[in-house]
Structures are given as structure tokens and as C-alpha cells.
């Protein structure tokens, strides 16, 4: 749901969407195709491109963590020129991460990837208050809370959507 408005905003150069539900993956790809922003098919060079993966966010985070760890190990052992030519350059360094997890919140592997990754900002959309509190306790060791918005999408119920903007603490 967030992919097309972000791509059309031209605020980002690349978007990677990871989704487990096949129907949502297909819908996202179709929307990207209709809006000329699907990676490999976008005709406008200045357009933000969207790459869509079907899979579990925790598995994607685990793969990303392996790349981060490999890159960190190589940077200790070799010069930066050697690192860029040895295959570890498949790790994309992203500045912003938007997460919209299910009610149970983020998987521990995703939290670890957020903390160890290059993300300077995190946008967290939550429908699970208890999980959000749990995740924020962990994430706020490395991130500062910048902004919060609570949206009542279901009036008359206790369900609300919470949007959190976190920014990495300066060392």
C-alpha cells in the first residue's frame, strides 16, 4: 500500500519491498508495472524503481545480516578497494527502512538487522501496541524517537494504527 506513493514522491532512488503474501506481491508488482516503476521494466531513468520480493522479512533480514557481517569482516581484513571487487558488494546500503509488521511485531532478526544495518531512519507502522512497546525498547537503544502519529482507522474499537519515526542516534 505504501510503495506507489513513495515511488511517485521521487524522494527515494530505490525501493525494495518484501512481502510474504503471494496476492500482495502480485498486486504490488502489477501496481508498479501500471505506474512504470517496476525494476527492470521502468522506462524513465529518473523514476524511483521498485524491486519486489516474495518472502519472509525475517529471512530477508537474516540474509542481509550475513552480508553486513561479511562486509564488516572484510573491511577489517582488507582495503576498501579489495572489498568492492570480491562479491560482498551485493549488500545494498539503505538509509530508510519502512516496516509494517503483523500484530505480533517485528521478528528479532529484523530488529537485529535494523540495529546493525546502515539505516539512519526507521518508519514503523504498527497495529499491535504490546509488540510496538517491546520493539521500541530494543530499537531505542540505537534510535531516537522523532515523531509519533496515532490514527483511529476503526472508530468504536480499541484498534489503532501507530506511525513511529525513529532516527539513528549520533555517536
Amino acid at each position: 500500500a505504501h510503495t506507489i506513493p513513495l515511488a511517485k514522491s521521487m524522494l527515494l532512488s530505490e525501493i525494495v519491498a518484501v512481502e510474504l503474501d503471494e496476492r500482495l506481491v502480485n498486486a504490488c508488482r502489477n501496481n508498479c508495472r501500471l505506474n512504470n516503476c517496476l525494476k527492470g521494466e521502468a522506462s524513465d531513468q529518473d523514476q524511483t524503481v521498485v524491486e519486489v520480493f516474495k518472502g519472509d522479512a525475517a529471512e530477508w533480514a537474516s540474509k542481509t545480516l550475513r552480508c553486513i557481517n561479511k562486509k564488516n569482516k572484510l573491511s577489517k581484513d582488507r582495503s576498501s578497494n579489495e572489498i568492492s571487487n570480491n562479491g560482498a558488494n551485493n549488500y545494498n546500503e539503505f538509509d530508510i527502512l519502512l516496516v509494517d509488521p503483523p500484530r505480533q511485531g517485528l521478528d528479532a532478526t529484523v530488529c537485529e538487522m535494523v540495529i546493525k544495518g546502515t539505516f539512519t531512519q526507521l518508519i514503523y507502522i504498527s497495529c499491535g501496541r504490546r509488540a510496538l512497546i517491546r520493539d521500541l525498547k530494543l530499537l531505542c537503544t540505537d534510535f531516537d524517537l522523532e515523531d509519533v502519529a496515532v490514527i483511529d482507522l476503526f472508530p468504536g474499537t480499541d484498534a489503532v494504527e501507530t506511525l513511529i519515526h525513529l532516527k539513528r542516534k549520533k555517536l
Side-chain angles (χ1 to χ4, degrees):
H2 321 291
T3 309
I4 301 303
L6 286 171
K8 291 297 185 181
S9 74
M10 296 302 293
L11 295 172
L12 308 170
S13 59
E14 182 180 2
I15 297 171
V16 176
V18 181
E19 174 59 55
L20 188 58
D21 187 319
E22 181 79 36
R23 296 168 303 145
L24 296 177
V25 169
N26 291 333
C28 186
R29 285 185 180 138
N30 288 336
N31 282 334
C32 290
R33 210 169 271 119
L34 289 170
N35 286 279
N36 192 34
C37 60
L38 188 63
K39 187 169 184 172
E41 297 181 17
S43 59
D44 184 356
Q45 295 294 334
D46 296 328
Q47 176 74 32
T48 299
V49 293
V50 180
E51 193 166 4
V52 184
F53 292 103
K54 182 192 179 306
D56 182 70
E59 290 174 20
W60 188 80
S62 182
K63 289 176 186 174
T64 302
L65 278 170
R66 284 195 296 276
C67 290
I68 291 170
N69 292 334
K70 182 177 182 180
K71 184 176 180 180
N72 288 342
K73 183 180 183 311
L74 288 171
S75 67
K76 290 177 186 173
D77 298 342
R78 300 182 182 161
S79 71
S80 60
N81 188 31
E82 288 177 279
I83 293 169
S84 64
N85 296 323
N86 68 9
N89 57 350
N90 292 334
Y91 169 67
N92 290 313
E93 295 181 349
F94 295 104
D95 297 322
I96 303 168
L97 178 65
L98 184 148
V99 293
D100 188 356
R103 190 169 306 280
Q104 65 264 26
L106 295 175
D107 183 276
T109 309
V110 175
C111 286
E112 183 182 0
M113 179 198 63
V114 171
I115 291 168
K116 289 185 176 179
T118 59
F119 310 106
T120 58
Q121 300 191 53
L122 173 66
I123 309 299
Y124 190 133
I125 302 170
S126 174
C127 62
R129 285 176 281 190
R130 287 186 181 101
L132 176 63
I133 292 167
R134 179 201 68 215
D135 292 345
L136 285 176
K137 284 180 183 175
L138 180 62
L139 296 170
C140 284
T141 60
D142 288 72
F143 288 83
D144 287 321
L145 183 64
E146 287 290 307
D147 207 358
V148 176
V150 178
I151 303 169
D152 187 1
L153 295 175
F154 309 102
T157 71
D158 67 345
V160 295
E161 289 286 314
T162 307
L163 285 73
I164 305 284
H165 174 205
L166 299 170
K167 193 170 184 178
R168 189 172 296 277
K169 293 179 180 181
K170 295 194 187 320
L171 298 175

